[in-house]
Amino acid sequence: MQAKDRLRREYSSFNDLSRQFRMYDEQSIDSLLDDRLRIHMNPNGSDDISLQRDDCYTPIYPAAQPQSPLLLLRQHNFKLKAYYSNVGNCVQCNKRIRFGVASLRCRDCPLRCHTECCSQLTVNCIPQPLASTKRGHLSDYVPHVAPMVPALIVHCVTEIEARGLELEGLYRVSSTRDKVKRLRHKLLRGKATPHLGDKDTHTLCCCVKDFLRSLERPLIPMYHRPDFVLATQLSDPLAVEEQLYLAMVDLPQAHRDTLAFLMLHWQRIAESPAVKMSINNIAVVFAPTLFDDADLNLSNIVLWQQVLRVLLLQSAGFWAQFLEVEPLLPASSLDDDEWKRENYHPSSAHWQSVKTYFRSMVG
């Protein structure tokens, strides 16, 4: 409460204070907050924090640092709020958010953090999927707006690239099954964004592979496979790129966005000499996972590896064009009660309204 009172004295009202922490306001937040209270909303460390929701996600590949981490797909839409219940730990420092102390939460994803941890935040904003029941399809785990990449893959990839691009044997060294199972279950629950800073890097890699294997349909479905195989039979590079573009457009959006996101990630791993995972090694590891293994034999495995090598040899700009950020509804214009009514629909809401109707009739 002391921190909240100290912040209140800097503004005329608490509503003015909460408005400063809204990500997409008319003015830049740098022009509204002084140097002492400024919270940098761009976890990438860039000075440009006026990214609009309709901007296209374009990865940056510096020539001197080819292993630089991925930029955020979507920035957070923060709301300052004091919680008077147990809300868990901060996603950045993994320390408990104290009772009654003002903290930040995202209006678009289940992320909560301390106000002082926002400047070091490296976690992506992934909106919650609309599907209430998970049947094992990729579309059940992706957000309802583009880019449709599951939160499990985005969070694991971001953490791997933040501290694992100098580690040898990524996606080649295995981890224990129990650790992978617990991490996968925690990430797929989606109730809160877990802290991954203390997780083993190889466990994160195995979690990504295990998730791709568990899908009801593989990332490249069987009926789309001939389109990708046709690209390997062409000799002209421009014809190969055109055929791959047509094949990518025909994919479902969730499969297309996830495949493009993973290709950018695996290209960075192949460019890091310390990892010792070349394009050929990545193709050997992931070819049986990305394609359907119903007819698993030696000739098909060799063909799938060849297709995956062709995909990995495409430029980063080719894959970045499929990762366009689709704007969300302006949730920051809603207060907490409206946001809860629009995002949470309990199963007993209809029955409560029926009981209220009959009580009014009896009265």
Side-chain angles (χ1 to χ4, degrees), residues 205-260:
C205 295
C206 292
C207 185
V208 173
K209 292 193 296 184
D210 185 68
F211 173 76
L212 294 176
R213 293 193 193 103
S214 64
L215 294 176
E216 188 70 21
R217 290 191 299 173
L219 193 58
I220 301 180
M222 179 183 298
Y223 45 86
H224 291 281
R225 188 192 310 169
D227 299 334
F228 290 91
V229 174
L230 180 60
T232 62
Q233 302 173 357
L234 303 175
S235 57
D236 186 10
L238 293 179
V240 172
E241 183 176 348
E242 181 180 359
Q243 176 60 32
L244 289 179
Y245 179 83
L246 296 177
M248 289 290 295
V249 170
D250 290 340
L251 284 176
Q253 185 173 2
H255 293 250
R256 179 175 64 247
D257 295 352
T258 305
L259 181 60

Side-chain angles (χ1 to χ4, degrees), residues 58-235:
T58 304
I60 298 176
Y61 293 87
Q65 297 178 355
Q67 68 274 17
S68 59
L70 284 170
L71 297 180
L72 297 186
L73 296 180
R74 179 179 284 107
Q75 294 187 351
H76 295 281
N77 181 13
F78 284 115
K79 170 73 175 180
L80 184 68
K81 184 176 177 63
Y83 292 93
Y84 297 94
S85 60
N86 183 15
V87 295
N89 299 345
C90 172
V91 71
Q92 180 64 26
C93 65
N94 203 26
K95 295 181 180 179
R96 183 168 295 277
I97 298 177
R98 296 176 57 187
F99 179 82
V101 176
S103 60
L104 295 174
R105 74 165 176 85
C106 181
R107 303 297 297 266
D108 302 327
C109 71
L111 181 140
R112 294 182 177 90
C113 67
H114 298 118
T115 55
E116 59 272 14
C117 295
C118 182
S119 58
Q120 296 87 25
L121 194 63
T122 58
V123 181
N124 294 271
C125 179
I126 310 297
Q128 292 286 81
L130 296 179
S132 58
T133 59
K134 305 295 190 298
R135 299 182 180 180
H137 298 280
L138 183 62
S139 58
D140 297 337
Y141 305 102
V142 300
H144 58 280
V145 292
M148 294 186 176
V149 185
L152 182 146
I153 292 181
V154 175
H155 295 326
C156 290
V157 165
T158 303
E159 192 65 29
I160 291 170
E161 295 195 0
R163 56 186 174 91
L165 289 183
E166 299 297 328
L167 184 63
E168 182 179 352
L170 292 179
Y171 294 105
R172 189 172 68 240
V173 179
S174 61
S175 180
T176 59
R177 183 179 296 273
D178 293 338
K179 291 182 180 179
V180 175
K181 184 178 180 180
R182 287 196 299 268
L183 178 61
R184 178 169 168 260
H185 177 70
K186 184 183 297 185
L187 288 170
L188 291 182
R189 286 182 62 189
K191 293 185 177 181
T193 304
H195 175 74
L196 301 178
D198 56 348
K199 303 299 181 183
D200 181 61
T201 307
H202 296 299
T203 303
L204 298 174
C205 295
C206 292
C207 185
V208 173
K209 292 193 296 184
D210 185 68
F211 173 76
L212 294 176
R213 293 193 193 103
S214 64
L215 294 176
E216 188 70 21
R217 290 191 299 173
L219 193 58
I220 301 180
M222 179 183 298
Y223 45 86
H224 291 281
R225 188 192 310 169
D227 299 334
F228 290 91
V229 174
L230 180 60
T232 62
Q233 302 173 357
L234 303 175
S235 57

Side-chain angles (χ1 to χ4, degrees), residues 345-358:
H345 304 281
S347 58
S348 59
H350 177 70
W351 177 240
Q352 292 293 339
S353 61
V354 172
K355 291 193 295 184
T356 304
Y357 171 76
F358 279 108

Side-chain angles (χ1 to χ4, degrees), residues 24-43:
Y24 304 101
D25 208 339
E26 296 179 356
Q27 295 178 322
S28 174
I29 197 169
D30 280 341
S31 63
L32 299 176
L33 294 180
D34 56 10
D35 294 335
R36 187 165 58 87
L37 293 176
R38 180 177 293 118
I39 294 180
H40 299 283
M41 293 302 184
N42 188 0

